[in-house]
Amino acid sequence: AMNVGPGWSATNGVWEIQSNRASCKTLASAYALVLAEAGAADVTITGIVQRNLSHIGLAFRSADVNNYWVATVDGLNVLIVKRQAGSASAVITAAFATSLNTDYVMQVVCSGTTITVFIDGVQRAQATSQTFNQTATKCGLYSERVGNLVDVAT
């Protein structure tokens, strides 16, 4: 569970608690990232995301601020993105419209080389044969906009 162990660490940007949720307060290099040690790379991480504007989502299989995976929604799509050596690239972009200030339950399932993203219980995106950071064990929250909200991930 994400609520045990050494706790959360704001790796990039500043986060605060707003309405009992994590809220992106300040961006650094155009995004904010907060991580916790999950203890395993094959994980299921779930959070309630609410988009103010831009991308909001869940980070997983993270080694550090320059090497991690993230699943986001941006209003028109669900994306699975890898940031490798500081450079981000979308591996999967799947059409899925989201509304502003609306809660969506996002779940990311990492199993071996497969990453699957569910929104409100429905599979929306899947990336297969993905070996980058396959053994990294930090997971957390990601935002590209101040004011985006994420309920505590599990």
Side-chain angles (χ1 to χ4, degrees):
M2 298 294 285
N3 60 350
V4 297
W8 295 84
S9 175
T11 306
N12 207 54
V14 177
W15 293 80
E16 65 184 356
I17 301 300
Q18 184 180 90
S19 304
N20 289 325
R21 294 183 179 188
S23 175
C24 176
K25 183 177 179 183
T26 306
L27 301 175
S29 302
Y31 68 96
L33 179 67
V34 61
L35 299 169
E37 178 59 54
D42 283 350
V43 295
T44 297
I45 181 170
T46 305
I48 299 171
V49 298
Q50 186 181 108
R51 211 172 48 78
N52 175 321
L53 282 174
S54 198
H55 296 257
I56 182 74
L58 302 175
F60 49 95
R61 290 191 173 170
S62 175
D64 55 47
V65 70
N66 291 311
N67 296 284
Y68 60 87
W69 286 92
V70 64
T72 67
V73 291
D74 69 357
L76 300 174
N77 301 292
V78 175
L79 296 95
I80 300 176
V81 176
K82 72 176 175 181
R83 181 176 294 270
Q84 185 171 12
S87 180
S89 61
V91 174
I92 297 292
T93 302
F96 180 73
T98 54
S99 300
L100 294 178
N101 304 312
T102 301
D103 288 345
Y104 296 92
V105 177
M106 176 180 278
Q107 183 176 65
V108 178
V109 179
C110 300
S111 179
T113 61
T114 301
I115 299 164
T116 308
V117 179
F118 297 85
I119 305 290
D120 291 337
V122 178
Q123 182 178 321
R124 299 294 180 182
Q126 186 174 66
T128 59
S129 302
Q130 300 302 317
T131 58
F132 170 69
N133 263 20
Q134 191 176 350
T135 60
T137 58
K138 293 179 185 173
C139 297
L141 316 176
Y142 178 89
S143 180
E144 291 182 10
R145 176 72 177 191
V146 170
N148 280 339
L149 298 173
V150 184
D151 207 346
V152 175
T154 59

